[in-house]
Amino acid sequence: MSKMTIKIKDNSSEVANAFKMQAAAALEEIGLRAEGYAVRLTPVGTPESTGVVGYSTNGLKQSITHKVSGNAVYIGTNKKHAAYVELGTGIYASDGKGKKNPWIWVDKNGKGHWTRGMKPHHMLKKAASEHGEEYKNVIKKHLKNG
């Protein structure tokens, strides 16, 4: 009777590394897609809405970006006023904690404007939450093709 030798090679680290690379690629693609959706949903200020003659844009759309960190992807912006656009203000504030009484704000030209607030746009929330099936398919595609 002859001896049989069986050699087993452990490829688990290579498989784990390939999985991590494909997962990172999937998250990057999801981030880019979510960023695009958020940009399309973001309103652009006008001279009428801002009260500033010649106003063209505040750069909010251009500031939206994404970041992959670990097993997550985040979309957002560094513009301070983005929270007001996302969540609304005054009587329209999403959390219900906005001012209840009308107020006047003064634009850069010194002109006063009466308001009760601004309705929320939820551009970041919608970009993240309304495309779950699409994002799931992106992950499947990357893991299947990896």
Side-chain angles (χ1 to χ4, degrees), residues 37-106:
Y37 290 129
V39 166
R40 286 192 287 280
L41 292 169
T42 301
V44 176
T46 64
E48 295 77 25
S49 70
T50 62
V52 178
V53 176
Y55 184 89
S56 61
T57 182
N58 59 20
L60 183 55
K61 280 182 178 270
Q62 295 82 359
S63 72
I64 294 174
T65 188
H66 73 280
K67 178 182 180 179
V68 175
S69 179
N71 292 327
V73 61
Y74 301 91
I75 58 169
T77 172
N78 62 356
K79 294 289 187 178
K80 292 179 183 178
H81 69 286
Y84 303 116
V85 178
E86 175 78 19
L87 302 172
T89 61
I91 63 171
Y92 306 107
S94 296
D95 63 3
K97 295 180 182 177
K99 290 183 180 182
K100 303 299 180 212
N101 299 317
W103 70 94
I104 295 175
W105 63 276
V106 179

Short mmCIF file of all heavy atoms in Angstrom, two decimals, residues 37-106:
data_model
loop_
_atom_site.label_atom_id
_atom_site.label_comp_id
_atom_site.label_asym_id
_atom_site.label_seq_id
_atom_site.Cartn_x
_atom_site.Cartn_y
_atom_site.Cartn_z
N TYR A 37 -27.18 61.91 -6.12
CA TYR A 37 -28.59 62.11 -5.77
C TYR A 37 -28.76 63.34 -4.89
O TYR A 37 -29.67 64.15 -5.09
CB TYR A 37 -29.15 60.88 -5.06
CG TYR A 37 -29.31 59.67 -5.95
CD1 TYR A 37 -28.80 58.44 -5.58
CD2 TYR A 37 -29.96 59.76 -7.18
CE1 TYR A 37 -28.94 57.33 -6.39
CE2 TYR A 37 -30.10 58.65 -8.01
CZ TYR A 37 -29.59 57.45 -7.61
OH TYR A 37 -29.73 56.35 -8.41
N ALA A 38 -27.90 63.49 -3.90
CA ALA A 38 -28.00 64.64 -2.99
C ALA A 38 -27.80 65.95 -3.74
O ALA A 38 -28.54 66.92 -3.50
CB ALA A 38 -26.97 64.51 -1.86
N VAL A 39 -26.86 65.99 -4.65
CA VAL A 39 -26.61 67.21 -5.43
C VAL A 39 -27.85 67.57 -6.24
O VAL A 39 -28.26 68.73 -6.28
CB VAL A 39 -25.37 67.05 -6.33
CG1 VAL A 39 -25.29 68.15 -7.37
CG2 VAL A 39 -24.10 67.02 -5.49
N ARG A 40 -28.46 66.58 -6.88
CA ARG A 40 -29.65 66.86 -7.68
C ARG A 40 -30.83 67.34 -6.83
O ARG A 40 -31.67 68.10 -7.32
CB ARG A 40 -30.06 65.62 -8.48
CG ARG A 40 -29.14 65.36 -9.66
CD ARG A 40 -29.69 64.33 -10.63
NE ARG A 40 -29.65 62.96 -10.15
CZ ARG A 40 -28.59 62.18 -10.16
NH1 ARG A 40 -27.44 62.63 -10.59
NH2 ARG A 40 -28.66 60.94 -9.72
N LEU A 41 -30.90 66.93 -5.59
CA LEU A 41 -32.00 67.33 -4.70
C LEU A 41 -31.76 68.65 -3.99
O LEU A 41 -32.68 69.21 -3.39
CB LEU A 41 -32.24 66.23 -3.65
CG LEU A 41 -32.79 64.92 -4.18
CD1 LEU A 41 -32.71 63.84 -3.09
CD2 LEU A 41 -34.23 65.09 -4.65
N THR A 42 -30.54 69.15 -4.02
CA THR A 42 -30.19 70.36 -3.29
C THR A 42 -30.68 71.60 -4.03
O THR A 42 -30.36 71.78 -5.20
CB THR A 42 -28.66 70.45 -3.08
OG1 THR A 42 -28.24 69.29 -2.35
CG2 THR A 42 -28.28 71.69 -2.31
N PRO A 43 -31.44 72.44 -3.34
CA PRO A 43 -31.93 73.66 -4.00
C PRO A 43 -30.79 74.67 -4.17
O PRO A 43 -29.79 74.62 -3.46
CB PRO A 43 -32.97 74.19 -3.02
CG PRO A 43 -32.51 73.69 -1.69
CD PRO A 43 -31.88 72.35 -1.96
N VAL A 44 -30.99 75.55 -5.11
CA VAL A 44 -30.01 76.61 -5.36
C VAL A 44 -30.66 77.94 -5.01
O VAL A 44 -31.79 78.21 -5.43
CB VAL A 44 -29.56 76.62 -6.85
CG1 VAL A 44 -28.62 77.78 -7.12
CG2 VAL A 44 -28.90 75.30 -7.20
N GLY A 45 -29.96 78.73 -4.23
CA GLY A 45 -30.48 80.04 -3.87
C GLY A 45 -30.59 80.94 -5.10
O GLY A 45 -29.85 80.80 -6.06
N THR A 46 -31.55 81.85 -5.04
CA THR A 46 -31.77 82.81 -6.11
C THR A 46 -31.75 84.22 -5.51
O THR A 46 -31.85 84.37 -4.29
CB THR A 46 -33.14 82.57 -6.78
OG1 THR A 46 -34.16 82.82 -5.80
CG2 THR A 46 -33.26 81.16 -7.34
N PRO A 47 -31.68 85.24 -6.35
CA PRO A 47 -31.76 86.60 -5.80
C PRO A 47 -33.05 86.82 -5.01
O PRO A 47 -33.05 87.49 -3.98
CB PRO A 47 -31.70 87.49 -7.04
CG PRO A 47 -30.93 86.68 -8.03
CD PRO A 47 -31.36 85.26 -7.78
N GLU A 48 -34.15 86.19 -5.46
CA GLU A 48 -35.43 86.35 -4.76
C GLU A 48 -35.43 85.64 -3.40
O GLU A 48 -35.94 86.15 -2.42
CB GLU A 48 -36.59 85.81 -5.62
CG GLU A 48 -36.80 86.57 -6.91
CD GLU A 48 -35.79 86.25 -8.01
OE1 GLU A 48 -35.20 85.14 -8.01
OE2 GLU A 48 -35.58 87.12 -8.86
N SER A 49 -34.86 84.44 -3.35
CA SER A 49 -34.89 83.67 -2.11
C SER A 49 -33.88 84.17 -1.08
O SER A 49 -34.09 84.03 0.12
CB SER A 49 -34.66 82.18 -2.37
OG SER A 49 -33.32 81.94 -2.78
N THR A 50 -32.81 84.77 -1.55
CA THR A 50 -31.77 85.24 -0.63
C THR A 50 -31.87 86.73 -0.34
O THR A 50 -31.32 87.20 0.65
CB THR A 50 -30.35 84.98 -1.20
OG1 THR A 50 -30.21 85.72 -2.42
CG2 THR A 50 -30.14 83.50 -1.45
N GLY A 51 -32.56 87.46 -1.23
CA GLY A 51 -32.65 88.90 -1.06
C GLY A 51 -31.37 89.63 -1.44
O GLY A 51 -31.20 90.80 -1.16
N VAL A 52 -30.46 88.94 -2.11
CA VAL A 52 -29.19 89.53 -2.51
C VAL A 52 -29.19 89.73 -4.02
O VAL A 52 -29.26 88.75 -4.79
CB VAL A 52 -28.00 88.64 -2.08
CG1 VAL A 52 -26.69 89.24 -2.54
CG2 VAL A 52 -28.01 88.44 -0.58
N VAL A 53 -29.14 90.99 -4.44
CA VAL A 53 -29.12 91.29 -5.86
C VAL A 53 -27.90 90.67 -6.51
O VAL A 53 -26.78 90.78 -6.00
CB VAL A 53 -29.13 92.83 -6.09
CG1 VAL A 53 -29.02 93.17 -7.57
CG2 VAL A 53 -30.38 93.44 -5.49
N GLY A 54 -28.09 89.97 -7.61
CA GLY A 54 -26.98 89.35 -8.32
C GLY A 54 -26.52 88.03 -7.73
O GLY A 54 -25.55 87.44 -8.19
N TYR A 55 -27.23 87.53 -6.72
CA TYR A 55 -26.86 86.26 -6.09
C TYR A 55 -26.99 85.14 -7.10
O TYR A 55 -27.96 85.04 -7.83
CB TYR A 55 -27.77 85.99 -4.89
CG TYR A 55 -27.40 84.76 -4.11
CD1 TYR A 55 -26.51 84.83 -3.06
CD2 TYR A 55 -27.94 83.52 -4.43
CE1 TYR A 55 -26.16 83.70 -2.33
CE2 TYR A 55 -27.60 82.39 -3.71
CZ TYR A 55 -26.71 82.49 -2.67
OH TYR A 55 -26.37 81.38 -1.95
N SER A 56 -25.97 84.25 -7.18
CA SER A 56 -26.06 83.15 -8.14
C SER A 56 -26.05 81.79 -7.45
O SER A 56 -26.80 80.92 -7.82
CB SER A 56 -24.93 83.24 -9.16
OG SER A 56 -23.69 83.15 -8.52
N THR A 57 -25.20 81.58 -6.47
CA THR A 57 -25.15 80.30 -5.77
C THR A 57 -24.39 80.45 -4.46
O THR A 57 -23.59 81.36 -4.30
CB THR A 57 -24.48 79.20 -6.63
OG1 THR A 57 -24.51 77.97 -5.90
CG2 THR A 57 -23.06 79.53 -6.98
N ASN A 58 -24.65 79.56 -3.55
CA ASN A 58 -23.93 79.60 -2.27
C ASN A 58 -22.94 78.46 -2.16
O ASN A 58 -22.32 78.27 -1.14
CB ASN A 58 -24.93 79.58 -1.10
CG ASN A 58 -25.81 78.34 -1.14
OD1 ASN A 58 -25.47 77.34 -1.78
ND2 ASN A 58 -26.94 78.40 -0.47
N GLY A 59 -22.83 77.66 -3.21
CA GLY A 59 -21.85 76.58 -3.22
C GLY A 59 -22.27 75.32 -2.47
O GLY A 59 -21.47 74.42 -2.31
N LEU A 60 -23.52 75.26 -2.02
CA LEU A 60 -23.96 74.09 -1.28
C LEU A 60 -23.88 72.83 -2.14
O LEU A 60 -23.35 71.81 -1.71
CB LEU A 60 -25.37 74.28 -0.73
CG LEU A 60 -25.92 73.15 0.14
CD1 LEU A 60 -25.00 72.83 1.30
CD2 LEU A 60 -27.32 73.51 0.65
N LYS A 61 -24.38 72.91 -3.35
CA LYS A 61 -24.33 71.74 -4.25
C LYS A 61 -22.88 71.28 -4.45
O LYS A 61 -22.60 70.09 -4.39
CB LYS A 61 -24.91 72.07 -5.63
CG LYS A 61 -26.41 72.04 -5.71
CD LYS A 61 -26.83 72.34 -7.13
CE LYS A 61 -28.31 72.28 -7.31
NZ LYS A 61 -28.78 70.96 -7.70
N GLN A 62 -22.00 72.23 -4.68
CA GLN A 62 -20.60 71.90 -4.96
C GLN A 62 -19.87 71.34 -3.74
O GLN A 62 -18.84 70.69 -3.87
CB GLN A 62 -19.85 73.14 -5.48
CG GLN A 62 -20.35 73.64 -6.81
CD GLN A 62 -21.59 74.51 -6.73
OE1 GLN A 62 -22.14 74.77 -5.68
NE2 GLN A 62 -22.06 74.98 -7.89
N SER A 63 -20.40 71.60 -2.55
CA SER A 63 -19.72 71.17 -1.33
C SER A 63 -20.09 69.75 -0.91
O SER A 63 -19.45 69.18 -0.04
CB SER A 63 -20.04 72.13 -0.19
OG SER A 63 -21.38 71.96 0.25
N ILE A 64 -21.11 69.17 -1.52
CA ILE A 64 -21.55 67.82 -1.12
C ILE A 64 -20.52 66.80 -1.58
O ILE A 64 -20.08 66.81 -2.73
CB ILE A 64 -22.95 67.51 -1.68
CG1 ILE A 64 -23.96 68.44 -1.02
CG2 ILE A 64 -23.33 66.04 -1.44
CD1 ILE A 64 -25.36 68.34 -1.58
N THR A 65 -20.15 65.93 -0.66
CA THR A 65 -19.13 64.93 -0.95
C THR A 65 -19.43 63.66 -0.16
O THR A 65 -20.42 63.60 0.57
CB THR A 65 -17.73 65.48 -0.62
OG1 THR A 65 -16.74 64.56 -1.08
CG2 THR A 65 -17.55 65.74 0.86
N HIS A 66 -18.58 62.67 -0.31
CA HIS A 66 -18.74 61.42 0.43
C HIS A 66 -17.38 60.96 0.95
O HIS A 66 -16.34 61.40 0.46
CB HIS A 66 -19.37 60.33 -0.44
CG HIS A 66 -18.43 59.77 -1.46
ND1 HIS A 66 -18.16 60.42 -2.64
CD2 HIS A 66 -17.68 58.65 -1.46
CE1 HIS A 66 -17.28 59.71 -3.32
NE2 HIS A 66 -16.98 58.62 -2.64
N LYS A 67 -17.44 60.07 1.94
CA LYS A 67 -16.21 59.51 2.51
C LYS A 67 -16.48 58.07 2.92
O LYS A 67 -17.49 57.79 3.57
CB LYS A 67 -15.78 60.32 3.73
CG LYS A 67 -14.55 59.78 4.42
CD LYS A 67 -14.20 60.58 5.65
CE LYS A 67 -12.95 60.02 6.32
NZ LYS A 67 -12.57 60.77 7.49
N VAL A 68 -15.61 57.18 2.52
CA VAL A 68 -15.68 55.79 2.96
C VAL A 68 -14.80 55.66 4.19
O VAL A 68 -13.64 56.07 4.18
CB VAL A 68 -15.21 54.82 1.84
CG1 VAL A 68 -15.17 53.39 2.36
CG2 VAL A 68 -16.10 54.93 0.62
N SER A 69 -15.35 55.09 5.25
CA SER A 69 -14.60 54.90 6.49
C SER A 69 -14.98 53.54 7.07
O SER A 69 -16.13 53.33 7.46
CB SER A 69 -14.92 56.02 7.47
OG SER A 69 -14.22 55.83 8.68
N GLY A 70 -14.02 52.64 7.09
CA GLY A 70 -14.30 51.29 7.59
C GLY A 70 -15.33 50.60 6.72
O GLY A 70 -15.19 50.55 5.50
N ASN A 71 -16.39 50.15 7.34
CA ASN A 71 -17.46 49.45 6.61
C ASN A 71 -18.66 50.36 6.36
O ASN A 71 -19.79 49.88 6.26
CB ASN A 71 -17.92 48.22 7.40
CG ASN A 71 -16.84 47.17 7.44
OD1 ASN A 71 -16.06 47.02 6.50
ND2 ASN A 71 -16.77 46.44 8.54
N ALA A 72 -18.43 51.66 6.25
CA ALA A 72 -19.52 52.61 6.06
C ALA A 72 -19.12 53.69 5.06
O ALA A 72 -17.94 53.94 4.84
CB ALA A 72 -19.90 53.26 7.39
N VAL A 73 -20.13 54.29 4.47
CA VAL A 73 -19.91 55.44 3.60
C VAL A 73 -20.80 56.57 4.10
O VAL A 73 -21.94 56.34 4.50
CB VAL A 73 -20.18 55.11 2.10
CG1 VAL A 73 -21.61 54.69 1.88
CG2 VAL A 73 -19.81 56.28 1.21
N TYR A 74 -20.26 57.77 4.13
CA TYR A 74 -20.97 58.94 4.63
C TYR A 74 -21.06 59.99 3.54
O TYR A 74 -20.10 60.20 2.80
CB TYR A 74 -20.22 59.54 5.83
CG TYR A 74 -20.05 58.57 6.96
CD1 TYR A 74 -18.91 57.76 7.05
CD2 TYR A 74 -21.02 58.44 7.94
CE1 TYR A 74 -18.76 56.85 8.08
CE2 TYR A 74 -20.87 57.53 8.99
CZ TYR A 74 -19.73 56.74 9.04
OH TYR A 74 -19.57 55.84 10.06
N ILE A 75 -22.22 60.64 3.43
CA ILE A 75 -22.34 61.78 2.53
C ILE A 75 -22.64 63.00 3.38
O ILE A 75 -23.29 62.91 4.42
CB ILE A 75 -23.42 61.59 1.45
CG1 ILE A 75 -24.80 61.33 2.08
CG2 ILE A 75 -23.04 60.50 0.49
CD1 ILE A 75 -25.93 61.39 1.08
N GLY A 76 -22.16 64.14 2.94
CA GLY A 76 -22.39 65.35 3.71
C GLY A 76 -21.74 66.55 3.07
O GLY A 76 -21.31 66.52 1.92
N THR A 77 -21.67 67.62 3.84
CA THR A 77 -21.14 68.90 3.39
C THR A 77 -20.53 69.62 4.58
O THR A 77 -20.89 69.36 5.73
CB THR A 77 -22.24 69.77 2.75
OG1 THR A 77 -21.72 71.07 2.48
CG2 THR A 77 -23.45 69.90 3.65
N ASN A 78 -19.63 70.54 4.29
CA ASN A 78 -19.04 71.34 5.36
C ASN A 78 -19.67 72.73 5.45
O ASN A 78 -19.22 73.56 6.22
CB ASN A 78 -17.52 71.46 5.16
CG ASN A 78 -17.17 72.16 3.86
OD1 ASN A 78 -18.03 72.49 3.05
ND2 ASN A 78 -15.89 72.38 3.64
N LYS A 79 -20.72 72.97 4.71
CA LYS A 79 -21.39 74.27 4.74
C LYS A 79 -22.26 74.37 5.99
O LYS A 79 -23.08 73.49 6.27
CB LYS A 79 -22.26 74.48 3.50
CG LYS A 79 -21.47 74.57 2.21
CD LYS A 79 -20.72 75.87 2.16
CE LYS A 79 -20.06 76.06 0.81
NZ LYS A 79 -19.36 77.32 0.72
N LYS A 80 -22.08 75.45 6.74
CA LYS A 80 -22.79 75.61 8.00
C LYS A 80 -24.31 75.68 7.82
O LYS A 80 -25.06 75.20 8.65
CB LYS A 80 -22.29 76.86 8.72
CG LYS A 80 -20.87 76.73 9.23
CD LYS A 80 -20.42 77.99 9.91
CE LYS A 80 -18.96 77.85 10.35
NZ LYS A 80 -18.46 79.06 10.97
N HIS A 81 -24.76 76.29 6.74
CA HIS A 81 -26.20 76.45 6.55
C HIS A 81 -26.88 75.21 5.99
O HIS A 81 -28.10 75.16 5.88
CB HIS A 81 -26.47 77.65 5.64
CG HIS A 81 -26.05 77.44 4.22
ND1 HIS A 81 -24.74 77.46 3.82
CD2 HIS A 81 -26.79 77.18 3.12
CE1 HIS A 81 -24.68 77.24 2.52
NE2 HIS A 81 -25.90 77.06 2.07
N ALA A 82 -26.12 74.16 5.69
CA ALA A 82 -26.69 72.94 5.12
C ALA A 82 -27.73 72.31 6.04
O ALA A 82 -28.75 71.78 5.57
CB ALA A 82 -25.59 71.94 4.80
N ALA A 83 -27.52 72.38 7.34
CA ALA A 83 -28.47 71.80 8.29
C ALA A 83 -29.84 72.48 8.18
O ALA A 83 -30.87 71.81 8.27
CB ALA A 83 -27.95 71.92 9.71
N TYR A 84 -29.85 73.79 7.93
CA TYR A 84 -31.12 74.51 7.80
C TYR A 84 -31.84 74.10 6.51
O TYR A 84 -33.06 73.97 6.49
CB TYR A 84 -30.88 76.02 7.82
CG TYR A 84 -30.18 76.48 9.07
CD1 TYR A 84 -28.92 77.05 9.01
CD2 TYR A 84 -30.78 76.33 10.32
CE1 TYR A 84 -28.26 77.46 10.16
CE2 TYR A 84 -30.13 76.74 11.48
CZ TYR A 84 -28.88 77.31 11.39
OH TYR A 84 -28.24 77.70 12.54
N VAL A 85 -31.08 73.89 5.45
CA VAL A 85 -31.67 73.46 4.18
C VAL A 85 -32.18 72.03 4.32
O VAL A 85 -33.28 71.69 3.89
CB VAL A 85 -30.65 73.58 3.03
CG1 VAL A 85 -31.24 73.09 1.71
CG2 VAL A 85 -30.16 75.02 2.89
N GLU A 86 -31.38 71.16 4.92
CA GLU A 86 -31.75 69.75 5.10
C GLU A 86 -32.98 69.60 6.01
O GLU A 86 -33.91 68.86 5.68
CB GLU A 86 -30.57 68.97 5.69
CG GLU A 86 -30.87 67.52 6.02
CD GLU A 86 -30.89 66.58 4.83
OE1 GLU A 86 -30.35 66.91 3.76
OE2 GLU A 86 -31.47 65.50 4.97
N LEU A 87 -32.97 70.26 7.15
CA LEU A 87 -33.98 70.03 8.19
C LEU A 87 -35.09 71.06 8.26
O LEU A 87 -36.07 70.86 8.96
CB LEU A 87 -33.28 69.95 9.55
CG LEU A 87 -32.21 68.87 9.66
CD1 LEU A 87 -31.45 68.98 10.97
CD2 LEU A 87 -32.82 67.49 9.48
N GLY A 88 -34.95 72.17 7.54
CA GLY A 88 -35.95 73.22 7.57
C GLY A 88 -35.78 74.13 8.77
O GLY A 88 -35.00 73.85 9.68
N THR A 89 -36.52 75.22 8.75
CA THR A 89 -36.45 76.20 9.83
C THR A 89 -37.86 76.65 10.21
O THR A 89 -38.83 76.38 9.49
CB THR A 89 -35.62 77.44 9.42
OG1 THR A 89 -36.26 78.08 8.31
CG2 THR A 89 -34.20 77.08 9.07
N GLY A 90 -37.95 77.37 11.32
CA GLY A 90 -39.23 77.94 11.73
C GLY A 90 -40.31 76.90 11.90
O GLY A 90 -40.06 75.79 12.40
N ILE A 91 -41.52 77.23 11.45
CA ILE A 91 -42.65 76.32 11.63
C ILE A 91 -42.49 75.04 10.82
O ILE A 91 -43.19 74.06 11.06
CB ILE A 91 -43.99 77.01 11.26
CG1 ILE A 91 -44.02 77.39 9.77
CG2 ILE A 91 -44.25 78.22 12.16
CD1 ILE A 91 -45.38 77.86 9.28
N TYR A 92 -41.56 75.02 9.88
CA TYR A 92 -41.34 73.85 9.03
C TYR A 92 -40.23 72.93 9.53
O TYR A 92 -39.98 71.89 8.93
CB TYR A 92 -41.00 74.30 7.61
CG TYR A 92 -42.02 75.24 7.02
CD1 TYR A 92 -41.74 76.59 6.86
CD2 TYR A 92 -43.27 74.77 6.64
CE1 TYR A 92 -42.67 77.45 6.32
CE2 TYR A 92 -44.22 75.64 6.11
CZ TYR A 92 -43.91 76.97 5.95
OH TYR A 92 -44.84 77.83 5.41
N ALA A 93 -39.55 73.29 10.58
CA ALA A 93 -38.42 72.50 11.07
C ALA A 93 -38.84 71.05 11.32
O ALA A 93 -39.87 70.79 11.96
CB ALA A 93 -37.85 73.10 12.35
N SER A 94 -38.06 70.11 10.81
CA SER A 94 -38.38 68.68 10.91
C SER A 94 -38.57 68.21 12.34
O SER A 94 -39.41 67.35 12.60
CB SER A 94 -37.26 67.84 10.28
OG SER A 94 -37.15 68.11 8.92
N ASP A 95 -37.78 68.75 13.25
CA ASP A 95 -37.87 68.28 14.63
C ASP A 95 -38.96 68.98 15.43
O ASP A 95 -39.15 68.69 16.61
CB ASP A 95 -36.52 68.43 15.33
CG ASP A 95 -36.06 69.88 15.46
OD1 ASP A 95 -36.81 70.80 15.06
OD2 ASP A 95 -34.95 70.10 15.98
N GLY A 96 -39.66 69.92 14.80
CA GLY A 96 -40.73 70.64 15.48
C GLY A 96 -40.26 71.68 16.47
O GLY A 96 -41.05 72.28 17.19
N LYS A 97 -38.95 71.92 16.52
CA LYS A 97 -38.41 72.85 17.51
C LYS A 97 -38.07 74.22 16.93
O LYS A 97 -37.40 75.02 17.56
CB LYS A 97 -37.15 72.25 18.16
CG LYS A 97 -37.44 70.99 18.97
CD LYS A 97 -36.19 70.43 19.59
CE LYS A 97 -36.50 69.15 20.35
NZ LYS A 97 -35.30 68.54 20.91
N GLY A 98 -38.51 74.48 15.69
CA GLY A 98 -38.24 75.77 15.08
C GLY A 98 -39.08 76.88 15.68
O GLY A 98 -40.02 76.63 16.45
N LYS A 99 -38.76 78.11 15.34
CA LYS A 99 -39.53 79.27 15.82
C LYS A 99 -40.98 79.11 15.39
O LYS A 99 -41.27 78.76 14.26
CB LYS A 99 -38.98 80.57 15.24
CG LYS A 99 -37.63 80.97 15.78
CD LYS A 99 -37.23 82.30 15.17
CE LYS A 99 -35.88 82.74 15.69
NZ LYS A 99 -35.51 84.05 15.14
N LYS A 100 -41.88 79.41 16.29
CA LYS A 100 -43.32 79.31 15.99
C LYS A 100 -43.88 80.64 15.49
O LYS A 100 -44.93 80.67 14.87
CB LYS A 100 -44.09 78.85 17.23
CG LYS A 100 -43.61 77.53 17.81
CD LYS A 100 -43.75 76.40 16.81
CE LYS A 100 -43.25 75.10 17.42
NZ LYS A 100 -42.68 74.20 16.46
N ASN A 101 -43.21 81.73 15.78
CA ASN A 101 -43.69 83.05 15.38
C ASN A 101 -42.89 83.57 14.19
O ASN A 101 -41.68 83.32 14.08
CB ASN A 101 -43.56 84.04 16.55
CG ASN A 101 -44.37 83.60 17.75
OD1 ASN A 101 -45.51 83.17 17.59
ND2 ASN A 101 -43.79 83.69 18.92
N PRO A 102 -43.54 84.31 13.29
CA PRO A 102 -42.82 84.88 12.15
C PRO A 102 -41.72 85.83 12.62
O PRO A 102 -41.77 86.36 13.72
CB PRO A 102 -43.90 85.67 11.40
CG PRO A 102 -45.20 85.19 11.94
CD PRO A 102 -44.94 84.66 13.31
N TRP A 103 -40.71 86.02 11.77
CA TRP A 103 -39.63 86.93 12.09
C TRP A 103 -39.15 87.62 10.82
O TRP A 103 -39.51 87.23 9.72
CB TRP A 103 -38.49 86.21 12.81
CG TRP A 103 -37.69 85.25 11.97
CD1 TRP A 103 -36.54 85.51 11.29
CD2 TRP A 103 -37.99 83.87 11.72
NE1 TRP A 103 -36.10 84.38 10.63
CE2 TRP A 103 -36.98 83.36 10.88
CE3 TRP A 103 -39.00 83.01 12.11
CZ2 TRP A 103 -36.95 82.04 10.44
CZ3 TRP A 103 -38.98 81.70 11.67
CH2 TRP A 103 -37.96 81.23 10.85
N ILE A 104 -38.32 88.60 11.02
CA ILE A 104 -37.75 89.34 9.89
C ILE A 104 -36.26 89.10 9.88
O ILE A 104 -35.60 89.14 10.92
CB ILE A 104 -38.03 90.86 10.02
CG1 ILE A 104 -39.54 91.11 9.92
CG2 ILE A 104 -37.28 91.64 8.95
CD1 ILE A 104 -39.94 92.55 10.13
N TRP A 105 -35.72 88.82 8.69
CA TRP A 105 -34.27 88.72 8.54
C TRP A 105 -33.83 89.79 7.56
O TRP A 105 -34.58 90.21 6.68
CB TRP A 105 -33.84 87.32 8.11
CG TRP A 105 -34.33 86.87 6.77
CD1 TRP A 105 -35.54 86.30 6.49
CD2 TRP A 105 -33.63 86.93 5.53
NE1 TRP A 105 -35.64 86.00 5.17
CE2 TRP A 105 -34.47 86.38 4.55
CE3 TRP A 105 -32.38 87.39 5.14
CZ2 TRP A 105 -34.12 86.29 3.20
CZ3 TRP A 105 -32.02 87.30 3.80
CH2 TRP A 105 -32.88 86.75 2.86
N VAL A 106 -32.63 90.27 7.74
CA VAL A 106 -32.11 91.36 6.92
C VAL A 106 -31.02 90.81 6.02
O VAL A 106 -30.07 90.17 6.48
CB VAL A 106 -31.55 92.50 7.82
CG1 VAL A 106 -30.99 93.62 6.98
CG2 VAL A 106 -32.65 93.01 8.75
#
